């Protein structure tokens, strides 16, 4: 007889806030959780059943950690794929599969995958060095992305003219046509080993222009149903083409002409799905567990309008975190607080998120704006 879910050990590579929220859900299934993270004070440290302080990019560390688990998953893509491939060969279940992680680790390979599978995306070119950029084969302005290790706006820059090239990354990069988009959107899709697939309703995102990361997210979208259906179909097509097991966040642009272009993928729970904890019948974290344990997928419908606000460290503050305005925002109906257990703040560090739930969309947005202005992370 197969083991029950509560008898299995779940290994998580990465012990940040995504791992923490995954463990908060895993506790409901009596799962034993094991976490590996390079930060000795990672957010998962005190809630995992077993916490190991070590590198998630070192082959031996990842391999030996993985031997202790039955199923291995990730909360960040920057992990040692070779160790995961070896664990998979030895019979460990690794989700998302190492080949998927390998593809997504390199933004150039990811773009080529879109092209080969007829996934709509902005025109692009791959270059190897800063010198290649000087040839000017790609028209200005454009977006330049490091092929590896960029995240949360890091490793991305706009190149407006030839003068910007001298400050450009001198490494393998991806040049992408600057998209004149109307809105950034995301669809999270889940797929289990049986091949069952479900998408969460499309969400709209607003970015912090200075930090270039999601600051504000509105769910569900009010775009016409035809656009939402198209976005959800693209997400399902990508999940099928990847043959992924687990959850996949698909970030997209809607252009001013109504086209949908895929920007990037994340094969794990994602910032664009945090509002699902209170705003949907199943959360992205519960759905990820259902996917990787090959359980029936949950009901992804929205319960209500839900706005997610990222709680970022204030500029000019670096030190032990204090939360100013917390009591004031907790007096508002429909505000849910999620702090990530990070002791130290620094400018733009993700310290938590808030979800504002209201049946009235405009009221939800109004409350979210107030919350955003009131809660400050200082030192």
């Amino acid at each position: 007889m197969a083991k029950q879910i509560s008898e299995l050990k779940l290994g998580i590579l990465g012990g940040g806030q995504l791992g923490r929220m995954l463990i908060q859900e895993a506790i409901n299934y009596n799962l034993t959780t094991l976490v590996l993270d390079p930060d000795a004070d990672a957010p998962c440290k005190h809630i995992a059943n077993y916490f190991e302080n070590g590198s998630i990019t070192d082959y031996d560390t990842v391999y030996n950690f993985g031997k202790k688990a039955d199923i291995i998953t990730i909360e960040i893509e920057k992990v040692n794929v070779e160790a995961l491939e070896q664990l998979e060969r030895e019979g460990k279940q690794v989700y998302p599969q190492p080949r998927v992680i390998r593809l997504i680790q390199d933004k150039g390979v990811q773009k080529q995958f879109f092209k080969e599978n007829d996934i709509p995306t902005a025109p692009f070119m791959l270059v190897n060095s800063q010198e290649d950029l000087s040839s000017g084969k790609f028209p200005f302005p454009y977006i330049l992305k490091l092929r590896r290790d960029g995240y949360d706006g890091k490793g991305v820059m706009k190149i407006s003219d030839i003068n910007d090239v001298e400050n450009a990354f001198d490494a393998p990069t991806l040049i992408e046509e600057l998209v004149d988009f109307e809105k950034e959107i995301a669809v999270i899709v889940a797929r289990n080993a049986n091949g069952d697939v479900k998408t969460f309703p499309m969400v709209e995102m607003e970015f912090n222009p200075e930090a270039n990361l999601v600051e504000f997210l509105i769910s569900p979208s009010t775009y016409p149903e035809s656009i939402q259906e198209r976005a959800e179909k693209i997400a399902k097509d990508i999940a099928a083409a990847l043959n992924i097991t687990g959850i996949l966040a698909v970030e997209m642009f809607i252009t001013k002409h109504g086209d949908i272009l895929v920007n990037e993928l994340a094969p794990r729970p994602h910032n664009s799905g945090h509002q699902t904890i209170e705003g949907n019948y199943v959360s992205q974290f519960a759905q990820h567990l259902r996917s990787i344990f090959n359980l029936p997928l949950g009901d992804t419908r929205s319960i209500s309008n839900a706005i997610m606000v990222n709680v970022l460290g204030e500029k000019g503050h670096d030190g032990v975190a204090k939360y100013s305005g917390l009591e004031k925002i907790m007096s508002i109906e429909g505000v849910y607080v999620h702090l990530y257990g990070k002791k130290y703040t620094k400018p733009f560090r993700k310290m938590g998120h808030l979800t504002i739930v209201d049946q009235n969309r405009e009221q939800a947005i109004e409350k979210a704006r107030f919350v955003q202005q009131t809660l400050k992370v200082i030192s």
Side-chain angles (χ1 to χ4, degrees):
M1 187 179 158
K3 280 186 178 180
Q4 291 188 317
I5 182 173
S6 57
E7 296 174 285
L8 296 169
K9 290 177 181 169
L10 174 66
I12 306 169
L13 293 180
Q17 62 266 18
L18 297 172
R20 180 180 167 101
M21 288 183 273
L22 190 62
I23 292 172
Q24 286 169 339
E25 189 59 55
I27 286 166
N28 294 332
Y29 296 97
N30 291 338
L31 267 170
T32 298
T33 53
L34 297 76
V35 170
L36 175 67
D37 194 273
D39 180 0
D41 291 313
C44 285
K45 181 177 184 176
H46 297 296
I47 64 167
N49 296 102
Y50 168 84
F51 178 81
E52 184 177 322
N53 178 213
S55 170
I56 57 174
T57 56
D58 177 72
Y59 180 95
D60 291 335
T61 308
V62 171
Y63 176 75
N64 291 323
F65 171 80
K67 296 280 276 185
K68 301 179 179 83
D70 295 302
I71 292 185
I72 302 150
T73 193
I74 61 169
E75 66 122 46
I76 185 169
E77 294 89 281
K78 195 181 173 183
V79 295
N80 190 293
V81 180
E82 290 78 13
L84 294 178
E85 286 169 339
Q86 183 58 32
L87 287 162
E88 190 178 51
R89 280 193 288 272
E90 291 175 16
K92 293 288 182 187
Q93 291 178 286
V94 184
Y95 301 126
Q97 298 92 321
R99 58 176 177 75
V100 174
I101 301 170
R102 187 181 282 285
L103 182 148
I104 285 169
Q105 279 182 342
D106 185 326
K107 288 186 171 71
V109 176
Q110 197 180 134
K111 274 285 199 179
Q112 286 168 324
F113 164 80
F114 295 155
K115 196 175 178 180
E116 286 160 17
N117 288 277
D118 297 319
I119 305 295
T121 192
F124 69 97
M125 189 169 88
L126 305 182
V127 294
N128 290 317
S129 66
Q130 190 188 72
E131 199 181 324
D132 293 349
L133 296 174
S134 307
S135 65
K137 287 178 187 168
F138 206 85
F140 299 110
Y142 55 77
I143 296 294
L144 187 68
K145 295 178 177 178
L146 284 174
R147 286 181 61 170
R148 302 185 75 86
D149 302 339
Y151 68 99
D152 279 351
K154 296 176 179 71
V156 178
M157 59 169 61
K158 182 182 174 183
I159 304 292
S160 299
D161 53 43
I162 195 71
N163 298 320
D164 288 342
V165 170
E166 62 190 51
N167 298 316
F169 307 121
D170 192 15
T173 52
L174 163 71
I175 292 177
E176 205 172 66
E177 186 178 285
L178 186 65
V179 177
D180 185 19
F181 63 87
E182 182 176 277
K183 184 69 72 177
E184 292 208 37
I185 58 167
V187 171
I188 288 180
V189 58
R191 187 176 180 279
N192 66 15
N194 285 347
D196 302 327
V197 178
K198 280 196 178 179
T199 54
F200 284 88
M202 180 181 120
V203 300
E204 299 171 21
M205 295 183 283
E206 286 182 20
F207 278 68
N208 178 308
E210 205 170 342
N212 194 27
L213 48 82
V214 177
E215 188 168 59
F216 211 73
L217 179 144
I218 306 172
S219 170
S221 171
T222 53
Y223 269 92
E225 213 163 285
S226 59
I227 285 182
Q228 296 194 46
E229 283 172 3
R230 218 181 334 143
E232 287 175 25
K233 184 182 184 302
I234 289 169
K236 285 178 179 173
D237 288 348
I238 293 171
L242 286 172
N243 197 21
I244 190 173
T245 296
I247 215 160
L248 180 74
V250 183
E251 295 181 84
M252 298 175 256
F253 301 117
I254 298 181
T255 71
K256 291 183 175 162
H257 301 295
D259 295 322
I260 297 175
L261 300 175
V262 176
N263 180 23
E264 286 178 10
L265 308 177
R268 52 171 172 76
H270 189 256
N271 203 228
S272 62
H274 289 347
Q275 81 294 339
T276 58
I277 298 170
E278 287 88 17
N280 297 66
Y281 286 100
V282 69
S283 76
Q284 65 164 341
F285 301 99
Q287 196 77 310
H288 184 59
L289 291 174
R290 285 167 177 256
S291 302
I292 65 177
F293 285 96
N294 204 20
L295 297 166
L297 299 178
D299 183 350
T300 56
R301 286 176 302 152
S302 298
I303 298 168
S304 171
N305 294 296
I307 315 290
M308 191 280 295
V309 178
N310 269 331
V311 178
L312 306 176
E314 286 293 300
K315 275 192 345 183
H317 289 268
D318 207 321
V320 177
K322 298 187 185 82
Y323 296 86
S324 170
L326 191 60
E327 282 184 33
K328 198 180 277 188
I329 63 150
M330 286 179 71
S331 66
I332 302 165
E333 199 175 309
V335 173
Y336 296 87
V337 178
H338 297 264
L339 301 181
Y340 296 156
K342 296 177 182 179
K343 188 176 178 182
Y344 298 100
T345 184
K346 58 185 177 185
F348 302 117
R349 189 181 192 196
K350 284 183 189 168
M351 302 300 290
H353 78 265
L354 302 161
T355 305
I356 295 90
V357 172
D358 199 302
Q359 293 300 332
N360 182 308
R361 186 183 173 87
E362 290 313 309
Q363 275 181 20
I365 292 170
E366 206 175 296
K367 287 177 184 178
R369 294 271 181 232
F370 175 78
V371 159
Q372 199 175 30
Q373 288 157 11
T374 306
L375 183 66
K376 301 292 178 192
V377 188
I378 57 175
S379 58

